[in-house]
């Protein structure tokens, strides 16, 4: 009769241990709310803006090329040396277009820097997630090994007695 009660006692202890371990492993203590979704959406928006600025810069470069060709043809024309106003106007246009192209390319660089910064944030968050997952896996393995050890000890005790 004591043997039968002892068996039930061990089974109750095993059940309690399993329930405690089950609820303990359900708790995920390493999940931190990151804003990776918003960062990824931000990257997509910045890439669209970057491409638009690159298109603008390419258009102004093609306009600049037309003015440079016009300047080269007028430079070799000997009749124009007396009135240099047309050359000055063309040079001013080339300088203006170059300055706008430089500012557009600076915008492209700023967008690229922002994209790189957001990607660094995402990479950092992903590495933190990987570390957290490794820790939780180690914890679950340890709990599983402890549960198996406990079950083995309790089973051995119940068989021996």
């Amino acid at each position: 009769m004591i043997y039968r009660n002892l068996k039930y006692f061990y089974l109750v202890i095993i059940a309690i241990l399993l329930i405690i371990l089950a609820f303990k492993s359900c708790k995920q203590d390493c999940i931190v709310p990151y804003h990776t979704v918003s960062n990824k959406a931000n990257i997509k928006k910045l890439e669209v803006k970057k491409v638009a600025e690159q298109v603008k810069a390419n258009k102004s470069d093609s306009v600049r090329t037309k003015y440079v060709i016009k300047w080269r043809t007028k430079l070799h024309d000997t009749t124009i040396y007396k009135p240099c106003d047309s050359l000055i106007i063309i040079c001013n246009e080339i300088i203006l277009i170059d300055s706008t192209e430089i500012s557009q390319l600076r915008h492209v660089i700023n967008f690229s820097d922002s994209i790189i910064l957001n990607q660094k944030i995402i990479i950092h968050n992903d590495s933190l997630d990987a570390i957290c997952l490794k820790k939780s896996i180690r914890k679950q393995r340890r709990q599983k090994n402890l549960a198996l050890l406990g079950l083995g000890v309790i089973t051995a005790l119940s068989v021996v007695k």
Side-chain angles (χ1 to χ4, degrees):
M1 182 154 190
I2 293 176
Y3 178 70
R4 187 180 274 173
N5 288 339
L6 197 57
K7 234 181 195 179
Y8 289 124
F9 178 71
Y10 289 137
L11 290 175
V12 169
I13 289 176
I14 291 171
I16 290 172
L17 283 174
L18 288 176
I19 290 171
I20 289 172
L21 287 176
F23 285 122
K24 193 173 184 180
S25 66
C26 287
K27 181 183 174 189
Q28 296 180 353
D29 53 348
C30 64
I31 292 180
V32 180
Y34 299 124
H35 303 292
T36 56
V37 175
S38 64
N39 283 338
K40 288 180 182 178
N42 215 1
I43 287 173
K44 288 180 184 177
K45 290 177 187 175
L46 288 171
E47 284 177 349
V48 168
K49 289 180 181 179
K50 176 184 162 187
V51 168
E53 284 294 323
Q54 281 178 337
V55 168
K56 286 181 188 177
N58 290 342
K59 283 182 182 177
S60 64
D61 188 44
S62 64
V63 170
R64 181 188 158 279
T65 306
K66 291 176 188 175
Y67 277 105
V68 168
I69 291 171
K70 191 175 183 182
W71 175 74
R72 285 183 182 158
T73 58
K74 295 234 179 191
L75 184 66
H76 295 296
D77 190 9
T78 57
T79 60
I80 213 165
Y81 281 126
K82 291 181 183 172
C84 290
D85 294 337
S86 62
L87 277 177
I88 292 173
I89 291 171
I90 294 172
C91 290
N92 285 339
E93 288 294 323
I94 291 172
I95 291 170
L96 179 68
I97 292 170
D98 281 346
S99 63
T100 57
E101 186 177 0
I102 288 170
S103 67
Q104 289 168 345
L105 290 174
R106 281 187 183 152
H107 289 297
V108 170
I109 290 170
N110 288 338
F111 289 136
S112 297
D113 290 342
S114 299
I115 289 170
I116 290 170
L117 182 67
N118 282 329
Q119 287 174 342
K120 282 182 181 178
I121 291 170
I122 290 172
I123 289 169
H124 177 71
N125 291 344
D126 287 346
S127 66
L128 289 178
D129 286 341
I131 291 169
C132 185
L133 289 173
K134 285 180 185 177
K135 285 182 180 180
S136 68
I137 288 171
R138 276 192 229 126
K139 182 180 176 183
Q140 288 177 0
R141 285 182 184 162
R142 194 177 329 118
Q143 288 175 351
K144 182 188 80 168
N145 291 337
L146 286 174
L148 289 176
L149 179 70
L151 287 174
V153 168
I154 292 173
T155 307
L157 287 175
S158 66
V159 169
V160 170
K161 294 196 179 193

